[in-house]
């Protein structure tokens, strides 16, 4: 697994990151972001007492959802999509919110806007007015997120698309992708992020950067 801790020159740019969700994706993002030196607070719907093992393993702080948001400059949302409307949207105003979710109708139920073709990250952004929403980390299997990172320039380095409307927020997230061992690829704006949703050529495909760019172009609804 690639991902040494930040060296002394990089520690000055360590971020305060909240991870909401401690399932496969949220748990492994907690592991990877903590390993490269970021100050992570992880939360879930069941309460911090259920996160002691993850906190002990990673050194991440544990807390409530409100704690994770308020302690952080950037918040990763890795919960079932149907739970997004229950999150405290007023607390994320002004923050970067990384949408790592996918819409699975069998799990999340019928969401009319998404069934009509709206990108799920646009739907999420509408629930977080004032936040700078960026779509990332949703195209890779959770185990590969943990184990398959590699150094910059490595042959076949897996690439992850990053979509968002705010260029500065998108750049911050692209840097995080690179830090944990993957090549970031600009996926366009939030309305383009359907190109990286389940069922598209790049979903769970572990392509390199050229392959991801090609797959984004080839995606069809």
């Amino acid at each position: 697994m690639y991902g040494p801790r930040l060296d002394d020159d990089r520690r000055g740019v360590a971020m305060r990151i909240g991870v909401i969700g401690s399932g496969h994706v949220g748990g492994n993002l907690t592991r990877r972001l903590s390993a490269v030196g970021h100050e992570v607070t992880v939360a879930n719907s069941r309460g911090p007492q259920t996160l002691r093992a993850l906190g002990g393993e990673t050194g991440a702080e544990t807390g409530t959802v409100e704690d994770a948001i308020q302690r952080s400059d950037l918040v990763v949302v890795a919960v079932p999509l149907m739970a997004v409307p229950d999150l405290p949207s007023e607390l994320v105003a002004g923050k970067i919110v990384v949408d790592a979710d996918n819409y699975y109708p069998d799990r999340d139920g019928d969401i009319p806007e998404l069934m009509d073709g709206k990108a799920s990250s646009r739907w999420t952004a509408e629930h977080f007015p004032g936040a700078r929403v960026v779509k990332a980390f949703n195209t890779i299997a959770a185990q590969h997120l943990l184990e398959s990172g590699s150094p910059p320039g490595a042959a076949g380095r897996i690439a992850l698309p990053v979509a968002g409307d705010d260029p500065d927020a998108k750049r911050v997230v692209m840097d995080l992708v690179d830090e944990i061992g993957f090549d970031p690829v600009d996926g366009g704006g939030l309305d383009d992020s359907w190109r990286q949703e389940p069922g598209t050529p790049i979903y769970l495909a572990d392509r390199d950067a050229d392959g991801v760019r090609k797959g984004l172009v080839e995606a069809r609804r």
Side-chain angles (χ1 to χ4, degrees):
M1 179 176 66
Y2 171 74
R5 295 186 65 85
L6 293 175
D7 59 30
D8 289 341
D9 290 336
R10 297 291 301 279
R11 290 189 186 279
V13 297
M15 297 183 66
R16 298 184 304 163
I17 297 175
V19 177
I20 301 175
S22 59
H24 297 305
V25 172
N28 284 346
L29 281 172
T30 297
R31 292 178 176 94
R32 296 302 302 120
L33 293 167
S34 297
V36 297
H38 295 292
E39 300 174 15
V40 177
T41 300
V42 59
N44 63 20
S45 61
R46 301 183 304 279
Q49 69 279 1
T50 67
L51 296 167
R52 289 173 185 151
L54 182 60
E57 173 194 343
T58 62
E61 296 292 328
T62 62
T64 65
V65 169
E66 290 77 9
D67 291 333
I69 296 172
Q70 291 173 328
R71 294 174 186 171
S72 303
D73 305 306
L74 178 148
V75 179
V76 178
V77 175
V79 299
L81 195 71
M82 62 183 174
V84 165
D86 297 327
L87 297 176
S89 60
E90 70 281 359
L91 296 182
V92 299
K95 296 179 185 284
I96 299 173
V97 173
V98 180
D99 170 20
D101 294 341
N102 285 308
Y103 176 45
Y104 301 112
D106 290 346
R107 179 195 66 187
D108 300 312
D110 293 344
I111 299 177
E113 300 97 318
L114 304 187
M115 297 173 71
D116 288 341
K118 178 177 288 187
S120 65
S121 57
R122 175 62 68 194
W123 180 86
T124 294
E126 290 171 354
H127 287 283
F128 296 141
R132 297 185 287 164
V133 175
V134 178
K135 185 76 165 183
F137 302 117
N138 71 299
T139 59
I140 186 170
Q143 198 65 21
H144 294 185
L145 185 63
L146 179 66
E147 297 177 346
S148 298
S150 57
R157 194 186 199 210
I158 295 171
L160 303 181
V162 179
D165 295 338
D166 184 304
D168 292 335
K170 187 156 62 172
R171 172 49 56 192
V172 169
V173 178
M174 293 177 81
D175 287 345
L176 289 178
V177 169
D178 185 43
E179 283 181 21
I180 67 170
F182 303 94
D183 275 343
V185 170
D186 192 330
L190 285 184
D191 290 328
D192 299 311
S193 64
W194 65 268
R195 295 178 181 275
Q196 63 191 73
E197 292 179 348
T200 60
I202 62 173
Y203 181 69
L204 301 182
D206 287 352
R207 296 187 179 195
D208 64 11
D210 287 341
V212 167
R213 293 186 190 98
K214 185 172 184 288
L216 290 171
V217 172
E218 292 174 342
R220 297 290 183 270
R221 282 178 161 161

